[in-house]
Amino acid sequence: MSHSFVMFSGPHLAALTVFVLACILLFLGRIRLQDSVPARQTVRYLIIACLIASEIALDIWNITEGYWNIKSTLPLELCSITLLLSVVMLAIRSRFLYQILFFAGIGGALQALITPSLDYAYPHFRFFQFFAAHMLIILASLYMTWVEKLQPTWRSIGWTMIFLNVLALGVGVINWMLGSNYMFLMHKPPTASILDFLGPHPLYLLAEEGIALLIFALMQLLFFVLPAKISKASAAAKARDKSVL
């Protein structure tokens, strides 16, 4: 029988470890995947299949357990939306969706992995489904980055912020019509989350805007800007060494 989920408990840390190992494995295998079309397609379609399976499995569980409710189980959470868009991105290898999902998908799913809004602990089905779905959202964008060799730009951050605000407006209207709380736009989740540190409603929504912008900027710096500068400096140093010789 499952107990309540405990943040940073043994199972939580184990799930995060699996996630880190999966990222390392994808990164280490990137060159081999780049050089093999069949291997690349296999990994891409496998991620697509797992993303779809995780969403279908959740819907089936909600229905069979009697939890399906228009106010809480529609795919209108940020991670549900980025999951579905990740499927489309991978299927058509969309550059436009990639530049949004790299920030919105990774940023949102990573926050969910670290501070899950989850009522079920290991070994409940929802524990596995929750962590698998959010890991796959991140791996989808990392695949496009490391294997398909796409890169977002500073302008991509602007597109992502526009996307998030338009999405919040649309979901907010749905919340108002249904009396729901998708994307936690109406109030904070009942379980502990990072929102607990951001003030009362609606101040935490404004705080989220600033934090998202900061996180996206840091992601651009750490993933692309700094590595490019380091690579350029290393190449320049090697060129100087050769000229001396």
Side-chain angles (χ1 to χ4, degrees), residues 152-181:
T153 64
W154 289 108
R155 182 176 294 180
S156 302
I157 296 177
W159 281 114
T160 305
M161 295 302 294
I162 292 173
F163 165 78
L164 290 175
N165 280 277
V166 171
L167 179 63
L169 179 61
V171 173
V173 171
I174 294 174
N175 282 335
W176 176 76
M177 294 174 62
L178 299 180
S180 54
N181 188 36

Side-chain angles (χ1 to χ4, degrees), residues 77-119:
E77 301 292 356
L78 177 59
C79 287
S80 297
I81 293 168
T82 56
L83 184 152
L84 296 175
L85 290 178
S86 292
V87 171
V88 178
M89 173 189 70
L90 290 171
I92 65 176
R93 293 188 291 180
S94 170
R95 291 178 178 269
F96 179 73
L97 285 178
Y98 164 76
Q99 67 178 336
I100 292 174
L101 291 173
F102 180 84
F103 296 111
I106 293 179
L110 185 60
Q111 182 269 323
L113 287 176
I114 296 173
T115 60
S117 176
L118 183 63
D119 295 324

Side-chain angles (χ1 to χ4, degrees), residues 126-203:
R126 280 290 286 126
F127 177 91
F128 290 105
Q129 188 278 331
F130 179 93
F131 282 101
H134 289 86
M135 290 179 194
L136 288 163
I137 292 170
I138 297 174
L139 289 173
S141 288
L142 292 181
Y143 167 87
M144 295 295 288
T145 303
W146 291 337
V147 180
E148 299 290 344
K149 296 190 288 188
L150 299 184
Q151 291 188 11
T153 64
W154 289 108
R155 182 176 294 180
S156 302
I157 296 177
W159 281 114
T160 305
M161 295 302 294
I162 292 173
F163 165 78
L164 290 175
N165 280 277
V166 171
L167 179 63
L169 179 61
V171 173
V173 171
I174 294 174
N175 282 335
W176 176 76
M177 294 174 62
L178 299 180
S180 54
N181 188 36
Y182 291 111
M183 292 178 60
F184 306 125
L185 294 176
M186 310 306 288
H187 56 79
K188 298 178 184 180
T191 56
S193 74
I194 194 174
L195 300 183
D196 294 333
F197 302 98
L198 303 183
H201 184 278
L203 294 181

Side-chain angles (χ1 to χ4, degrees), residues 154 218-233:
W154 289 108
L218 288 174
M219 290 173 64
Q220 181 70 9
L221 285 170
L222 294 176
F223 271 86
F224 304 106
V225 176
L226 291 180
K229 288 184 178 296
I230 292 172
S231 178
K232 185 176 180 179

